[in-house]
Amino acid sequence: MFFTRRFTTIVILSLQGFLFQVNGDPYAWLENIEGEKALAWAREQNESSQRALEAHPDFGQIHRETLKILQSKDRIPRVSRRGRLWYNFWQDEEHVRGIWRRTTLEEYKQAKPAWETVLDFDRLANDEKENWVYKGVDVLEPFNDRAMIRLSRGGKDASVYREFDLKRNTFVQNGFHLKEAKSDLAWIDRDTLLVATDFGEGTLTSSGYPRTVRLWKRGQSLQNSPTLLEGEKSDVGLWTFTLQTTSGPIGFIRRSRTFYKGEYHYFKKGKTYRLPLPENIRLSGYHSGQILVQLKAQWKVNRGFLPRGALVSLPLNKLLQGSIMPQVIHVPDNRSTITSVHVTTNAILINSMTNVTSRLLRYTYNNGKWTGTSTAENFTNGVLSINNTSPYHEDYTFSFQNFLTPSTLYHVRGSKGPTHKLKQTPDRFDTSDLKITQYWVKSRDGTPVPYFLVGKRELKANGQKPTLLYAYGGFEIPMRPWYSPTVGANWLSRGGVYVLANIRGGGEFGPSWHQAALKTNRYKAYEDFIAVAEDLIRKRITSPRHLGIRGGSNGGLLTGVAFTRRPDLFNAVVCQVPLLDMKRYTQLLAGHSWIAEYGDPEIPDIWRFWEKWSPYHNLSRKQKYPKVFFTTSTKDDRVHPGHARKMVARMKELRHPVLYYENIEGGHAGAANLKQRAYTQALAYAYLLQQLK
């Protein structure tokens, strides 16, 4: 009987492998996100994996410590200034879904501020019998008395928008309301919105985003509102936004032809005007009659060239007349980049980064010229974040942190005014015996790649240290030395080493660093990652037995490639909300929007590349892999949970060890609230300790 069962199993597995190679994907049924069979499969995997990981002796303590950190009352309440009031979204053990609340600056400075609750999302969800998750808010400026609240069912990107009265703290009866969709909107005035949403059949792009923008007047039917701009089905989508000026908001529409290229249209008096700008720019602000533009490629203007990565200004009134008169404000060098641009009444602030640490610049515009100076010079070797800037006032806030320095929030009054400390996060773990080191390693093609290492001051080079390597490497998103209390408490405090790699594909060194790893050059990001792993082993900081990797989303693809290409280097892999099937990714949810990043697998040359790198297609029965831990979310409507589901099913078919956890809600973040986040983190760290210590 045993022999018969075993023989039957072998035949079935062999047949499945044959079908996978010849007839396509035998696990396509797992792409049915909320299908009864697929969800039953996910719950079955959850049960066995949770049982295995919760059994780790440290799981309970990690879970409790993580939840305590995430729900701690002494966290810095992150605030957004709206006129004289400062708003904060807050979650803790009493407010699982969260509350939106506000206070004054003087009250905020107190150790225990008095807050006024504006909207309680736990109460709202209970009253309306909906699984509401707060996803953001758009406030009408400069009046700050109305807002559009964004509500998601279970954490999905698709959301409901509802108008809210900030004086009465109630939803506006018969106010603006958008049904659930991947929408975008912007206030023009109290009675007018620019709206991009699902208007019905034929109004979405292939990526699932809006392809039309309408002008919606109060009291007017949305379906009967006039169309301002319509894109093509092949576009990524259309987006609306405003730039605030001292005379009120200026409306814009961006038509994204690809993820990185598109058109900007200026809105005025019911009409739109396309701005004569290159397709690969980012419109970053407005100051003194000038629009501020970041260049993602070299721009030929008249007889000269403006450099890639530069921030330039152009007079808007001249631009609308077709006259292109750019002025260069700031040009980063080849080890620097601009991470963000912020506008105040009298200046612009450029948050830049050199060798992956922050530097803040302040520029003023006088007599037709820009003049810049460095500011916040005492804050080095870390991350600066600028917030609460506005053309309506000169003051702003900024925070500073690094791997071992908890975030501290400051308030700056005026151009030369004092800097006041507002709040500081308490130490969440002991840093007295830890240090940060930045190393550089040459990738396979000779490109120097930096990485940060956090560990003991006296780190013995014996190859025995449990080491966690993290990276992202995509979409021009830089990985910066943030303070992470959960990494500190759950990993560093247990003797682990933490490594953050700044590989190509990210935004650490500007557009060129990102563009070096696009489409069929994606392998350069993966080679950078492998080079860092090999350098850690070569330095005898760790060894393959004690080296683990972690990444999410695009970083999940990275870790998927890493363990299928070089399983000999790793003994633990945490692969979160990942892309893994690079043959079908464009057909799954928002995947079509990332063609500019990964290329279109329908093009033979593109698929020839990905056929060798796609994790789902490069699993082998003969190869020995580490036991991998995959996590995803049923409610993730950005990266399809089918990627992780199918990868796990395929690995089980090939009899490779694998763990899986699918949060039934949570969206692309993987968790809808702090309790879910703490639990998922505890599973991940229990797994890492199990594999690496």
Side-chain angles (χ1 to χ4, degrees):
M1 180 68 71
F2 170 76
F3 175 81
T4 304
R5 265 201 312 267
R6 186 180 177 197
F7 178 77
T8 303
T9 301
I10 291 172
V11 170
I12 290 172
L13 291 175
S14 299
L15 179 60
Q16 286 177 332
F18 176 77
L19 289 172
F20 183 83
Q21 297 295 329
V22 178
N23 293 331
D25 190 347
Y27 299 113
W29 59 274
L30 287 169
E31 294 176 4
N32 185 359
I33 296 176
E34 308 229 21
E36 184 177 338
K37 182 181 177 183
L39 279 177
W41 177 92
R43 290 190 174 100
E44 182 182 354
Q45 311 311 312
N46 282 359
E47 185 178 343
S48 60
S49 297
Q50 288 172 271
R51 186 167 56 247
L53 294 175
E54 288 180 8
H56 190 278
D58 285 0
F59 174 83
Q61 183 182 3
I62 292 172
H63 188 203
R64 288 189 297 273
E65 288 180 351
T66 303
L67 189 59
K68 182 179 178 181
I69 288 170
L70 295 180
Q71 293 183 338
S72 58
K73 302 288 188 181
D74 54 3
R75 287 174 288 149
I76 295 178
R78 301 296 175 184
V79 286
S80 298
R81 180 176 178 177
R82 299 287 183 250
R84 68 176 189 85
L85 297 174
W86 298 68
Y87 286 77
N88 163 252
F89 175 71
W90 182 260
Q91 292 176 309
D92 58 26
E93 59 185 337
E94 298 171 25
H95 307 97
V96 176
R97 297 177 186 273
I99 54 173
W100 194 37
R101 57 188 188 172
R102 63 191 174 199
T103 190
T104 64
L105 178 60
E106 291 307 311
E107 189 64 37
Y108 182 72
K109 291 177 181 178
Q110 306 303 313
K112 294 183 178 180
W115 294 93
E116 176 195 2
T117 297
V118 178
L119 184 58
D120 184 326
F121 292 95
D122 292 276
R123 181 177 298 174
L124 180 69
N126 183 66
D127 290 346
E128 298 187 352
K129 303 296 186 295
E130 285 278 11
N131 186 18
W132 289 133
V133 174
Y134 170 78
K135 295 291 279 188
V137 60
D138 291 273
V139 176
L140 171 64
E141 295 187 87
F143 308 105
N144 303 301
D145 59 349
R146 291 292 175 93
M148 292 297 290
I149 306 286
R150 184 180 173 193
L151 300 167
S152 162
R153 291 182 174 94
K156 297 186 294 183
D157 284 352
S159 302
V160 171
Y161 286 79
R162 291 160 64 179
E163 187 179 3
F164 194 84
D165 188 324
L166 290 174
K167 288 186 175 180
R168 296 179 175 85
N169 290 353
T170 184
F171 287 105
V172 177
Q173 188 174 5
N174 299 320
F176 290 120
H177 180 280
L178 288 178
K179 65 181 182 180
E180 184 178 82
K182 292 184 178 181
S183 305
D184 196 46
L185 56 80
W187 289 99
I188 295 300
D189 57 45
R190 191 184 309 278
D191 298 314
T192 312
L193 290 169
L194 297 180
V195 176
T197 191
D198 182 354
F199 293 103
E201 185 177 353
T203 63
L204 297 180
T205 66
S206 298
S207 300
Y209 295 106
R211 58 178 290 222
T212 60
V213 173
R214 297 188 185 186
L215 184 65
W216 194 12
K217 291 283 189 179
R218 188 177 300 280
Q220 186 178 36
S221 164
L222 179 60
Q223 291 297 330
N224 294 329
S225 298
T227 298
L228 293 174
L229 190 65
E230 183 171 355
E232 299 293 335
K233 188 175 178 60
S234 58
D235 291 344
V236 171
L238 271 67
W239 322 103
T240 67
F241 64 100
T242 56
L243 296 178
Q244 297 298 321
T245 76
T246 52
S247 56
I250 302 175
F252 291 91
I253 300 170
R254 174 170 169 81
R255 176 189 175 190
S256 298
R257 293 184 180 274
T258 73
F259 206 85
Y260 305 107
K261 294 183 178 181
E263 311 162 356
Y264 283 96
H265 296 255
Y266 171 71
F267 170 82
K268 187 174 183 180
K269 295 182 179 180
K271 295 184 179 180
T272 59
Y273 307 85
R274 182 177 174 181
L275 299 178
L277 295 169
E279 287 194 330
N280 46 3
I281 61 104
R282 179 182 298 159
L283 192 53
S284 300
Y286 178 94
H287 184 73
S288 299
Q290 315 275 313
I291 61 167
L292 310 176
V293 171
Q294 287 179 255
L295 304 182
K296 301 302 179 182
Q298 193 179 61
W299 184 15
K300 184 178 181 181
V301 180
N302 300 325
R303 297 182 180 180
F305 289 90
L306 299 177
R308 177 169 57 181
L311 178 70
V312 303
S313 68
L314 300 100
L316 179 58
N317 61 342
K318 298 292 185 183
L319 196 62
L320 292 171
Q321 297 169 12
S323 179
I324 301 173
M325 302 171 60
Q327 228 185 124
V328 174
I329 302 173
H330 178 71
V331 182
D333 61 28
N334 61 2
R335 282 287 170 228
S336 303
T337 188
I338 296 171
T339 57
S340 59
V341 178
H342 308 266
V343 176
T344 70
T345 301
N346 299 317
I348 66 169
L349 300 170
I350 299 176
N351 194 2
S352 67
M353 187 167 63
T354 300
N355 287 333
V356 205
T357 59
S358 292
R359 182 185 177 208
L360 185 59
L361 306 171
R362 183 178 186 273
Y363 278 82
T364 56
Y365 187 72
N366 295 299
N367 300 319
K369 292 185 178 180
W370 291 98
T371 304
T373 58
S374 181
T375 187
E377 293 181 329
N378 294 331
F379 300 90
T380 59
N381 300 319
V383 182
L384 282 167
S385 300
I386 315 302
N387 297 104
N388 296 305
T389 57
S390 170
Y392 305 120
H393 50 79
E394 183 68 7
D395 60 316
Y396 60 94
T397 62
F398 74 85
S399 62
F400 178 80
Q401 61 186 297
N402 62 33
F403 288 119
L404 303 179
T405 304
S407 178
T408 303
L409 182 67
Y410 298 88
H411 182 224
V412 181
R413 286 188 175 276
S415 59
K416 298 180 180 179
T419 299
H420 296 289
K421 182 189 291 188
L422 291 175
K423 302 283 180 184
Q424 183 170 12
T425 301
D427 291 328
R428 301 299 189 196
F429 57 97
D430 184 6
T431 63
S432 59
D433 193 32
L434 298 173
K435 70 173 183 178
I436 306 166
T437 308
Q438 187 180 42
Y439 292 105
W440 293 76
V441 62
K442 286 189 177 180
S443 191
R444 186 174 182 179
D445 64 359
T447 300
V449 177
Y451 66 91
F452 291 101
L453 184 146
V454 188
K456 296 290 186 183
R457 290 185 181 278
E458 301 299 327
L459 193 61
K460 293 181 180 179
N462 58 11
Q464 300 300 305
K465 280 294 183 183
T467 301
L468 177 58
L469 169 60
Y470 186 92
Y472 186 76
F475 296 92
E476 205 180 344
I477 297 173
M479 294 292 100
R480 306 169 73 185
W482 303 100
Y483 181 84
S484 172
T486 53
V487 169
N490 297 327
W491 190 248
L492 295 173
S493 294
R494 286 179 164 81
V497 172
Y498 183 72
V499 178
L500 180 69
N502 302 114
I503 63 178
R504 281 175 286 185
E508 288 83 352
F509 302 111
S512 61
W513 194 248
H514 168 233
Q515 293 164 13
L518 291 177
K519 298 182 179 179
T520 55
N521 285 325
R522 196 62 172 194
Y523 68 93
K524 294 183 179 180
Y526 307 142
E527 289 179 349
D528 292 355
F529 190 66
I530 295 299
V532 172
E534 290 176 332
D535 199 47
L536 294 170
I537 295 168
R538 186 165 46 248
K539 285 184 168 66
R540 291 188 54 75
I541 291 164
T542 191
S543 60
R545 166 67 184 82
H546 301 288
L547 179 57
I549 55 178
R550 185 175 185 175
S553 193
N554 172 75
L557 171 59
L558 169 70
T559 55
V561 168
F563 91 79
T564 51
R565 297 284 291 195
R566 292 296 306 272
D568 58 304
L569 291 178
F570 316 108
N571 199 42
V573 181
V574 181
C575 187
Q576 300 170 292
V577 290
L579 287 89
L580 296 165
D581 180 353
M582 298 308 287
K583 178 66 174 176
R584 281 185 48 75
Y585 88 90
T586 58
Q587 301 171 54
L588 300 175
L589 297 175
H592 194 272
S593 66
W594 309 320
I595 284 176
E597 185 80 11
Y598 304 120
D600 187 349
E602 296 298 314
I603 299 173
D605 286 347
I606 299 293
W607 176 240
R608 272 191 290 272
F609 167 78
W610 279 111
E611 191 174 19
K612 300 175 184 177
W613 294 88
S614 173
Y616 186 52
H617 297 86
N618 281 278
L619 288 168
S620 168
R621 186 186 304 276
K622 297 178 181 179
Q623 186 62 264
K624 183 179 179 181
Y625 301 113
K627 182 190 291 184
V628 183
F629 180 34
F630 294 93
T631 70
T632 189
S633 165
T634 310
K635 298 298 185 184
D636 188 348
D637 55 351
R638 195 179 311 174
V639 176
H640 199 295
H643 285 279
R645 290 175 177 178
K646 295 194 302 179
M647 189 76 168
V648 170
R650 176 70 171 152
M651 290 185 73
K652 282 181 170 289
E653 172 202 328
L654 300 178
R655 298 195 173 186
H656 295 302
V658 63
L659 294 167
Y660 180 80
Y661 177 66
E662 178 174 326
N663 189 13
I664 304 303
E665 60 181 26
H668 191 51
N673 56 57
L674 299 179
K675 288 184 177 179
Q676 292 177 8
R677 192 174 306 160
Y679 180 75
T680 304
Q681 290 270 17
L683 290 177
Y685 283 109
Y687 160 79
L688 289 166
L689 292 171
Q690 180 187 86
Q691 293 294 110
L692 302 180
K693 293 204 76 171

